[in-house]
Structure formats: structure tokens, C-alpha cells
Amino acid sequence: SLAHRCHHRSTAMLDVPFLPFCAFLGTLGLLCVAMVGTWCQHWRGGFSLDGSFRTFNWHPVLMVMGLVVLYGAAALVYRIPNTWSGPKLPWKVLHGSLALGAFILTVLGLAAVFRFHNSQGTPNMYSLHSWMGLGTVLLFSCQWAAGFGAFLLPWAPAWLRALYKPIHVFFGSTILMLSVASCVSGINEKLFFSLKNGTMQYKLLPAEAVFANTLGLLILIFGVLVVAALARPSWKRPDSDSPDSRQVRDVLGG
């Protein structure tokens, strides 16, 4: 019908191509990693493994790299149109491997902050940031283990996969937003702790504060864009038995 064709044309006009969006998102993610590295190198004294404040500096870099950027990449694997045809196992392995890489970086980031606190005699786990961050990491570990058991081990029954899949998808987005919230609160906490002397007070908005606040906003934008991409109906992998999927297979010649 004419109305249907008009509707289809309007949605097509509104549609953003996935791959250019991904390229933009990848650039934004790399920018976040570069900025957190620059912040720690230029303003916070660089990196080492000696238990000093330079050991702490690994914490924000590894957390942004793992818990936000690499995790975001893992979440978007199934939105790549190439994954919609052919065997799904290689894409499952890629999704799980990226998530595992993100988890390993995150654990190393936690180790850095605990080593710093313990060597300085600073208490662990007293701030809202630390509670939220550790809660996110624990949720992430459960998510990865449950996903591995349900989707990568061959003996998981189909009914269990079907039951767990929407839960897995929901917690995927939830963990990403918790990661973003943890990073933003951590940046803020670090600025309050660090910018205290007369010329560098946080409230005077020195260059470091502007730079780190901007980093926090970019991390937030990255997380929101990933969640928006995950929620976009036209970018979702069609279910194998749905009419959409048959249509995709026809288009791809499958």
C-alpha cells in the first residue's frame, strides 16, 4: 500500500548506516582511552608498578579500556550485518573473547588500585564509587560465566538458551551503564582528592579539571550510543525462524 511504502521510505531516510556509526564509535572509544592515558601521564605523574600513586594510574586506564570500550565492542558484535548469515559459532567465540579480554583488563585495573591502597595504608571499599565499581565487576563475572555456559557449551538445551537470552541482553546493557557510572564517579572522586591546593582547586576549574570532566562526558556519550545501537530494531540480528530472517537470507543469497 501507499501508506506502507511511505512509512518504509521515511524509516529508511531516518536509518543511519551501521558501519559508519561503528567507525565513529570506535574513534570515540579510542579517544576516551587516549585521553585517560594522557590525563594520568601528563597530570598524574605517569605509570609504574611500585605501589605508589603511579601504580594507581593504571586503574583508570585499564577500567576505561576494559569495562567501557572493549566491553562496548563485545556488546555490538551481533549488530554487524555479516553475522546474520552463516554459522554463528565464530561470532559467539569473538563476542565471548572480547568480553573475556575486557574482564581481564578490569581485574588488572582492580589489582592496581588495591595494591596502591594497601601499600599506602589507605582503606579499601569505603566510597560509593568503589561499591558501584566492584558490584559492576561481580555482575560482569556472573554474566560472562552464565553466557559461556548457556551459549558456548554444546550441551546447554535450546529452551534454556531461549529463556536466558533476553536476560543476558538486558544485563549486557545494564553492566555497560553501571561501568560508565563507575568511571564517571571515579574521575570525579579523583579530581576532588587531587585538586586541593590553592592554585589548583577543583572549584577554580584548572586545565586538568576541564580535561578530566570532558573525558567523563565522552565516556558517558560512548555508553549511551552503544546502548542506543543495541536497542535499535533495524540493527538487531533477526531470529532464525522469523520472516525478517528469511528475508535477510534471501537478500544475502542464503
Side-chain angles (χ1 to χ4, degrees), residues 24-252:
F24 172 76
L25 203 55
T27 305
L28 181 58
L30 289 173
L31 179 62
C32 289
V33 173
M35 283 183 70
V36 70
T38 301
W39 177 34
C40 292
Q41 180 66 45
H42 181 73
W43 279 288
R44 297 285 108 226
F47 302 91
S48 82
L49 298 173
D50 60 3
S52 70
F53 65 89
R54 289 190 296 275
T55 300
F56 170 86
N57 288 342
W58 286 107
H59 174 68
V61 171
L62 290 167
M63 290 313 202
V64 171
M65 201 185 293
L67 210 49
V68 177
V69 177
L70 203 55
Y71 185 90
L76 288 174
V77 162
Y78 293 121
R79 299 300 183 269
I80 302 169
N82 308 34
T83 68
W84 296 358
S85 64
K88 200 174 176 183
L89 183 61
W91 299 105
K92 284 184 180 182
V93 171
L94 177 62
H95 174 72
S97 300
L98 286 171
L100 181 60
F103 184 70
I104 290 167
L105 290 176
T106 300
V107 170
L108 291 172
L110 280 183
V113 73
F114 280 121
R115 173 157 164 68
F116 166 68
H117 280 176
N118 294 339
S119 68
Q120 302 295 314
T122 307
N124 290 304
M125 302 306 302
Y126 63 87
S127 67
L128 176 59
H129 162 68
S130 63
W131 291 10
M132 189 159 48
L134 191 64
T136 305
V137 175
L138 292 174
L139 198 56
F140 184 8
S141 60
C142 295
Q143 167 90 340
W144 194 91
F148 181 79
F151 301 121
L152 273 171
L153 295 182
W155 52 79
W159 64 264
L160 178 64
R161 291 182 182 189
L163 184 71
Y164 176 60
K165 186 181 172 185
I167 299 168
H168 186 76
V169 170
F170 169 78
F171 276 107
S173 295
T174 301
I175 290 165
L176 181 64
M177 292 321 294
L178 286 171
S179 301
V180 168
S182 300
C183 286
V184 170
S185 63
I187 289 166
N188 202 225
E189 185 178 287
K190 184 63 179 171
L191 290 172
F192 274 120
F193 281 152
S194 302
L195 302 181
K196 287 189 291 199
N197 68 43
T199 55
M200 290 290 290
Q201 288 181 67
Y202 194 4
K203 66 183 179 184
L204 300 176
L205 208 64
E208 180 181 352
V210 174
F211 188 88
N213 285 356
T214 304
L215 167 64
L217 285 178
L218 291 177
I219 290 170
L220 182 60
I221 291 166
F222 179 89
V224 168
L225 288 177
V226 172
V227 170
L230 293 174
R232 192 178 183 92
S234 62
W235 288 350
K236 288 184 179 174
R237 179 192 172 104
D239 289 329
S240 54
D241 54 353
S242 71
D244 282 349
S245 177
R246 288 195 289 275
Q247 197 176 348
V248 166
R249 281 201 299 273
D250 291 343
V251 169
L252 296 171

